[in-house]
Amino acid sequence: MTEAEEMSRPPAGETPPGESRPDDETRAEHRESVPADERDALVTIAHGAVVTSGGLSLQRVLATATEFVLARALGPVVYGVYALAWRLAQLLFRFVNFGTVQTLQRYVPAYEDDHGRRARVAGLAYLTTAAVGAGLAVALVATADRLNALTVAHPLFPPAMAAVGAVVALTGIVRTHASLLRAVGSARGEVTFTRVLLPAVRLATALLAVGLGYSVVGVMGALAVGTALLVAIGAPAVVSATGIRPTVRGARSELRAFYNHATPVALSSIGKVFQNRVDILLVGALLTATATGVYGVVLVYVSLAWIPLLAFNMLLPPVATELYAEDRVDTLDRVYTSITRLILTAVVPILAVQTVFGRELLGLFGPTYTAGYLPLVVYLAGVLAGSAVGATGWLLVMTDHQYIRMALDWLLAAGNVALTYLFISAFGLVGAALGTGLAIALQNGLQVLVLRHYEGLFAFDATFLKPLAAGVAMAGAMWLTRAAVGGLASLAAGVPVGVAVYLGTLVALGVTAQDRLVARTLAARYRRSLGAVLP
C-alpha cells in the first residue's frame, strides 16, 4: 500500500465514518468548509512534505557538515577547486537522467493496472540514464584541461574530473531508484535514497579521504566508490519495494510516448542549468578560486532555503496528475493555492533568519566566508520569488505543457548567461547572485502567466500577505535581539524570539481553514502514531 493510500484510511483507533465522538465536533467545523477531495489532496501532499522536509533537513545538515569539513581541511584555494568540481557535478545531476524522473512520475501512476508497461517504462528510464551518464563521464574527461584553463587553472582540477564523471553517472542510477519509489507513492523511499543515503555517503567518504590525507582527487574518488556501492545495494531493494522489475524487452512500443515526454523535459533541464547553475562557472572563470569557495558556502545556505518548496513538491506531481486526468481543475486550483501558501509560510522564517544572521552563519566556516553575506541576501530574494509561486514547473509538465516549459527555460537561459556575465564583471561576487536571482524570479513569473492562460490555475489572494507581514515582524524582533546581544549568542537567543513573534503574528492575522485543517489533521495522526509506539 502506498503512503497516499495510507493517508486516506482511518488510522488505528480513529472513529469510522458515520460515527462521531465529542472531540470530533471542532474538526468537523473546519472540514465542512473544505471539500472532501480538496481535503484528501491537501493532507496527502502535506504528509509527503513532512516526510520530505525531515529528509531534506537531514540532507542539508549532512551537506553542510561535508562542506565544513572540506573547507577547514582543504583551505580556501583548494576548497575553491573542490567547490567548482562539485558544482559541475550538481549541474550535470540535472541532466544525467534525461527527463526520466518526471516521465516516471507521469506514466508509472497512469499504468497502475498494467505491470508490463510499468516494467518497460522503468527499463527505459534506467537504460537512458546509464547511456547519458556514460556519455557525460567521457565528455568530462575529454574537456577537463580546457575547463581548467578557463576557470581555476589548478593542477588538481583535471584529474578530479575523471572521478566527477563516475560520480555523475552513478548518482543518476541512484536517482532513478528514488524516482521509481516516488512514482508509486513512497515519499519515504525517495527521501531515503536522495536525501539521506547519498549525502551520508558523501560525508562519510569525505571524512575518510581527509583522514587519510587525500586532497580533491581522493575525495571525489572515494565518493565514486561509495556511490557505486549504493547503486548495487539499492537495485534489489527497489524491485522488492515497488514490485516493478525493469526490462527493455518489448520497450519499442513505449519509445514514442516515453521520449515525447522525456526529451522536452531534458532539454528544459539544460536551459534550467544555464539559468541557475551557470553562476559558479562564471565565478570560477571571472574571479578567483577563493571567491569560488566563498560562493560555494553561500550556496550551502541557499539550499536550506529551498527545503519547503522541494518538500511540498514531493507528492504534488502524482496528485496533480490524478486531478487533471479526472478533469477536476477547480479542485487542482484550490489545492495549488493552499499548498503554495503553505510553502510561503514555511520559507519566510528561514529567509528571515539567514538575512538577519547571515554574517554569523557564514562566519562558522571561517572569517574569509563572511564576504558572501551580500550575495547571500541577494540570492535569497530569488528564493522568495521562486517559492512564492509554488510548483509552477511541475504543474506545467504534469498538465502536458512540457514543450512550453522547455521554450521558457531556453529563452531565459540565454538571458541569464548574458546578465550574470555582465553583473559579475560589474559587481563581482554579488553579481552572480543577482543574475541567478533575477532569472529565478522571471522564470517563475512567466510560468504563472502560462498556467493561468492555458489551465486557469492561479494561486494568489490576499491571504498570501499574512506570512509576509509575519516575516517582517520576525525579522524586526531578531534585529533588535542581535543589536542587544551580539555575536553568535544573538543567533541562539534571536531565533526562538523570532519564531515566537512569527507564529504569534500569524495567529493574530488569522489562519485559513485549509491551513488549520492540514495542521490539525497531521498533528492528530502523528500523535496517534507516536502513541502506538511509545508506552
Side-chain angles (χ1 to χ4, degrees):
M1 179 176 293
T2 67
E3 292 171 33
E5 290 170 330
E6 290 174 0
M7 289 300 293
S8 65
R9 293 182 59 194
E14 184 173 311
T15 304
E19 300 180 19
S20 62
R21 299 185 306 186
D23 61 351
D24 288 336
E25 295 177 1
T26 301
R27 295 192 194 109
E29 293 176 3
H30 299 298
R31 292 190 177 193
E32 288 177 0
S33 60
V34 182
D37 56 351
E38 180 182 352
R39 180 173 68 245
D40 293 342
L42 288 175
V43 172
T44 297
I45 295 170
H47 171 64
V50 171
V51 174
T52 305
S53 62
L56 282 167
S57 299
L58 179 58
Q59 178 193 25
R60 299 310 188 228
V61 169
L62 293 171
T64 302
T66 303
E67 301 298 333
F68 181 83
V69 167
L70 293 175
R72 288 285 189 177
L74 300 178
V77 175
V78 178
Y79 175 72
V81 176
Y82 166 81
L84 178 59
W86 180 244
R87 191 63 166 172
L88 278 170
Q90 290 179 307
L91 182 153
L92 296 176
F93 290 159
R94 298 182 64 91
F95 185 65
V96 65
N97 293 97
F98 198 78
T100 59
V101 170
Q102 294 86 343
T103 304
L104 286 172
Q105 311 312 307
R106 179 67 178 86
Y107 290 120
V108 169
Y111 300 155
E112 183 176 3
D113 298 326
D114 191 334
H115 296 292
R117 296 192 74 179
R118 277 185 157 192
R120 291 191 291 273
V121 167
L124 285 173
Y126 278 105
L127 179 62
T128 302
T129 299
V132 174
L136 291 176
V138 171
L140 278 177
V141 173
T143 60
D145 290 331
R146 181 61 176 167
L147 284 172
N148 186 44
L150 292 173
T151 56
V152 292
H154 197 284
L156 291 176
F157 185 80
M161 285 298 97
V164 170
V167 169
V168 169
L170 293 166
T171 300
I173 301 297
V174 176
R175 283 163 56 94
T176 305
H177 289 343
S179 299
L180 196 55
L181 289 166
R182 180 181 181 182
V184 299
S186 176
R188 284 190 295 265
E190 200 275 350
V191 166
T192 298
F193 272 102
T194 61
R195 312 302 180 184
V196 179
L197 293 179
L198 275 176
V201 166
R202 182 175 170 232
L203 175 58
T205 54
L207 288 170
L208 177 63
V210 169
L212 294 175
Y214 292 116
S215 189
V216 176
V217 180
V219 169
M220 285 298 182
L223 179 57
V225 173
T227 310
L229 291 175
L230 189 54
V231 169
I233 294 171
V238 171
V239 172
S240 176
T242 63
I244 299 173
R245 190 176 297 276
T247 181
V248 292
R249 291 183 179 179
R252 181 176 297 180
S253 60
E254 305 293 340
L255 288 176
R256 182 173 181 179
F258 185 91
Y259 288 111
N260 183 58
H261 196 274
T263 302
V265 172
L267 295 176
S268 180
S269 297
I270 299 175
K272 205 72 174 176
V273 161
F274 285 99
Q275 286 181 52
N276 53 24
R277 292 294 186 271
V278 75
D279 48 359
I280 192 72
L281 300 179
L282 290 176
V283 167
L286 300 177
L287 302 178
T288 64
T290 300
T292 306
V294 170
Y295 198 68
V297 172
V298 168
L299 296 176
V300 170
Y301 286 111
V302 168
S303 69
L304 296 175
W306 285 118
I307 287 178
L309 179 64
L310 295 174
F312 280 96
N313 281 358
M314 173 57 67
L315 293 182
L316 186 143
V319 170
T321 297
E322 180 181 353
L323 293 174
Y324 185 73
E326 296 175 359
D327 200 28
R328 290 187 285 166
V329 178
D330 289 341
T331 300
L332 177 57
D333 187 50
R334 294 194 301 271
V335 169
Y336 172 42
T337 297
S338 297
I339 293 301
T340 304
R341 184 176 55 247
L342 287 170
I343 293 170
L344 183 63
T345 302
V347 76
V348 163
I350 299 175
L351 300 180
V353 169
Q354 292 194 15
T355 299
V356 175
F357 297 110
R359 287 189 177 87
E360 288 78 6
L361 292 169
L362 290 166
L364 294 174
F365 287 80
T368 301
Y369 299 99
T370 58
Y373 175 70
L374 186 56
L376 173 64
V377 173
V378 171
Y379 207 132
L380 291 178
V383 175
L384 177 61
S387 299
V389 301
T392 54
W394 272 109
L395 287 173
L396 282 175
V397 173
M398 293 301 105
T399 54
D400 296 328
H401 296 300
Q402 61 268 22
Y403 284 97
I404 294 178
R405 184 183 175 184
M406 178 190 70
L408 288 175
D409 283 335
W410 275 95
L411 175 65
L412 293 173
N416 182 50
V417 172
L419 287 175
T420 303
Y421 177 85
L422 292 174
F423 287 156
I424 292 176
S425 300
F427 306 117
L429 198 60
V430 71
L434 181 60
T436 302
L438 284 175
I440 293 170
L442 185 57
Q443 167 79 8
N444 283 279
L446 288 174
Q447 288 177 169
V448 167
L449 296 178
V450 171
L451 279 173
R452 184 171 188 177
H453 176 73
Y454 285 101
E455 301 297 340
L457 300 176
F458 190 72
F460 310 103
D461 55 34
T463 61
F464 280 61
L465 297 176
K466 296 178 180 180
L468 294 176
V472 172
M474 177 183 180
M478 290 190 297
W479 275 115
L480 292 175
T481 305
R482 182 174 182 269
V485 178
L488 285 175
S490 66
L491 177 62
V495 172
V497 170
V499 171
V501 170
Y502 183 72
L503 295 176
T505 305
L506 279 179
V507 172
L509 293 174
V511 181
T512 65
Q514 290 86 350
D515 295 353
R516 289 197 303 272
L517 170 70
V518 168
R520 293 179 177 180
T521 301
L522 293 182
R525 183 174 295 275
Y526 299 146
R527 281 197 302 269
R528 288 190 291 271
S529 298
L530 286 174
V533 175
L534 300 177

